[in-house]
C-alpha cells in the first residue's frame, strides 16, 4: 500500500517543489516505486521532472474535475524514474470548478484509490496557499512534510499551517499527521539560521528531520535542465542531503 505524503507550506519559494522532485528521484534511486502529484498550477514539479507542461493533453486538472481517469493523465519522468500526474495553468480553474462538485475536498483521494497498490510512495507538491487544491492534498495524505527555511518569519507562518492540519485532521481526514519539518536552503554560517534551527529542534523534537538540505546552487540549476537535482549532479551536497532524507523517510514510514 502506498504511503501518501503532502509537501506543504503556504509560503512560496520555501523549497516545496525542490523537495518533492528530489525526494521522488532519491526514493526511486533507492528502489521505491514513486508517483509525484503536481497540485500547483505553476507546474514547476512537472517541468523539473522533465515533462513539458505546455504540451500536455491532459493534466491533474482533468483528473480532479472528472474529465479523465488516472491512467490517462499519468506520465513517466524519464530522468527521475518515477511517475507524474502533471499540472499546468489549467489547474488554476479547478479551484472554482471544484466548489460545485460532490466530495470536492476528496477528489484526489478518490482518484488515487485506483493506484495505491502500484506505488510505495505518493508525493503531492502543494501550491503556496491553503486553498481547495491544498485541501485535496491534505485529505488524500497520511502525512505532511513541511520544508522550511530557518528564518525568523518561518515560525510565524508555521502556526497557520499547523492549525489547518489540525482542522483537517479533526473534520476531514483522521489519518493525517505531521511527519516532519525539513530544514532547507540551510546556511550554517548564518547565526540566525543556527538559532532558528535549534529552536525548531527544541520545540518540535523528533518531528524535525535529521537530514538538513544546504543552500546549493546545483539544486537550483537542475530544473532548467528538466532533471531532478539528485540525478543532475549526484555528487553535490544538495543531492547527498536529499538522498539522506529519502533514507530517513524510508525508515520513518516503517514506524507509521
Ligand atoms: P516552492 O515550491 O516552495 O515555491 P521551490 O522549490 O520552487 O519553492 O524553491 C524556490 C527557489 O529556490 C527555486 O528557484 C529553487 O531552485 C531554489 N531552491 C530550492 N531549494 C534550494 C536549495 N537547497 N539551494 C539552492 N536553491 C534552492
Ligand atoms: Mg512550488
Amino acid at each position: 500500500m502506498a504511503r501518501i505524503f503532502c509537501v506543504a507550506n503556504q509560503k512560496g519559494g520555501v523549497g516545496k517543489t525542490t523537495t518533492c522532485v528530489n525526494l521522488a528521484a532519491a526514493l526511486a534511486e533507492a528502489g521505491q516505486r514513486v508517483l509525484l502529484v503536481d497540485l500547483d498550477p505553476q507546474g514547476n514539479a512537472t517541468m523539473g521532472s522533465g515533462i513539458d507542461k505546455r504540451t500536455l493533453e491532459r493534466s491533474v486538472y482533468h483528473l480532479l474535475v472528472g474529465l479523465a481517469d488516472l491512467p490517462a493523465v499519468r506520465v513517466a519522468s524519464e530522468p527521475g524514474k518515477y511517475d507524474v500526474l502533471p499540472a499546468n495553468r489549467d489547474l488554476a480553474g479547478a479551484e472554482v470548478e471544484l466548489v460545485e462538485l460532490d466530495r470536492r475536498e476528496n477528489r484526489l483521494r478518490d482518484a488515487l484509490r485506483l493506484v495505491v497498490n502500484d506505488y510505495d510512495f505518493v508525493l503531492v507538491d502543494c501550491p503556496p496557499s491553503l486553498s481547495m487544491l491544498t485541501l485535496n492534498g491534505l485529505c488524500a495524505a497520511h502525512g505532511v512534510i513541511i520544508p522550511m527555511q530557518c528564518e525568523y518569519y518561518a515560525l510565524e507562518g508555521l502556526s497557520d499551517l499547523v492549525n489547518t492540519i489540525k482542522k483537517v485532521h479533526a473534520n476531514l481526514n483522521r489519518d493525517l499527521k505531521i511527519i516532519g519539518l525539513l530544514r532547507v536552503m540551510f546556511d550554517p554560517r548564518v547565526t540566525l539560521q543556527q538559532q532558528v534551527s535549534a529552536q525548531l529542534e527544541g520545540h518540535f523534537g523528533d518531528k524535525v528531520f535529521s537530514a538538513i538540505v544546504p543552500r546549493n546552487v546545483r539544486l537550483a540549476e537542475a530544473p532548467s535542465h528538466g532533471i531532478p537535482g539528485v540525478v543532475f549532479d549526484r555528487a553535490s551536497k544538495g543531492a547527498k542531503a536529499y538522498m539522506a532524507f529519502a533514507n530517513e523517510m524510508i525508515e520513518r514510514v516503517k514506524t507509521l
Side-chain angles (χ1 to χ4, degrees):
M1 270 272 280
R3 291 294 182 159
I4 305 173
F5 300 108
C6 267
V7 179
N9 187 324
Q10 76 278 21
K11 290 178 77 175
V14 293
K16 289 182 291 298
T17 299
T18 305
T19 295
C20 217
V21 166
N22 283 288
L23 178 59
L27 285 169
E29 182 88 0
Q32 304 291 308
R33 298 168 304 164
V34 183
L35 175 68
L36 186 160
V37 183
D38 191 351
L39 271 195
D40 188 340
Q42 291 182 78
N44 293 343
T46 299
M47 296 295 279
S49 300
I51 296 153
D52 192 344
K53 65 180 178 185
R54 293 159 300 196
T55 59
L56 295 173
E57 254 173 58
R58 296 187 197 83
S59 69
V60 79
Y61 160 77
H62 298 85
L63 182 68
L64 292 179
V65 301
L67 290 172
D69 59 6
L70 194 147
V73 171
R74 175 168 54 187
V75 283
S77 165
E78 274 176 40
K81 310 260 184 299
Y82 52 86
D83 288 343
V84 181
L85 301 181
N88 58 24
R89 314 173 44 164
D90 289 348
L91 189 56
E95 198 71 57
V96 182
E97 288 177 48
L98 281 171
V99 175
E100 309 279 314
L101 300 176
D102 278 353
R103 291 180 59 74
R104 59 188 177 186
E105 303 94 355
N106 283 302
R107 310 290 294 192
L108 181 62
R109 174 196 262 189
D110 293 346
L112 289 175
R113 281 226 175 91
L114 200 62
V115 296
V116 285
N117 292 317
D118 299 350
Y119 299 101
D120 301 304
F121 285 87
V122 177
L123 303 176
V124 183
D125 188 26
C126 289
S129 61
L130 297 173
S131 59
M132 187 57 75
L133 289 170
T134 298
L135 205 53
N136 262 270
L138 294 175
C139 285
H142 300 110
V144 189
I145 295 166
I146 306 174
M148 55 185 303
Q149 287 173 258
C150 290
E151 286 170 352
Y152 180 68
Y153 289 114
L155 292 170
E156 219 170 71
L158 200 57
S159 57
D160 292 338
L161 180 59
V162 170
N163 284 334
T164 301
I165 293 168
K166 279 188 185 150
K167 278 189 205 146
V168 173
H169 174 84
N171 300 308
L172 295 163
N173 178 7
R174 300 298 296 177
D175 289 341
L176 190 69
K177 40 167 95 65
I178 294 176
I179 304 300
L181 303 173
L182 177 68
R183 291 162 285 183
V184 298
M185 297 189 229
F186 191 73
D187 184 347
R189 294 166 303 183
V190 178
T191 310
L192 177 66
Q193 294 209 12
Q194 285 180 356
Q195 285 168 351
V196 173
S197 174
Q199 233 175 340
L200 281 178
E201 284 174 349
H203 197 266
F204 293 96
D206 61 8
K207 287 274 183 214
V208 181
F209 291 109
S210 320
I212 299 182
V213 180
R215 188 170 280 286
N216 178 252
V217 68
R218 303 298 273 167
L219 289 175
E221 287 167 355
S224 66
H225 300 270
I227 303 175
V230 298
V231 179
F232 179 63
D233 183 356
R234 48 183 307 133
S236 66
K237 285 196 172 135
K240 286 182 175 157
Y242 275 115
M243 291 301 288
F245 176 46
N247 288 325
E248 204 175 342
M249 280 300 294
I250 291 169
E251 288 308 310
R252 202 166 280 209
V253 293
K254 291 179 187 163
T255 67
L256 292 179

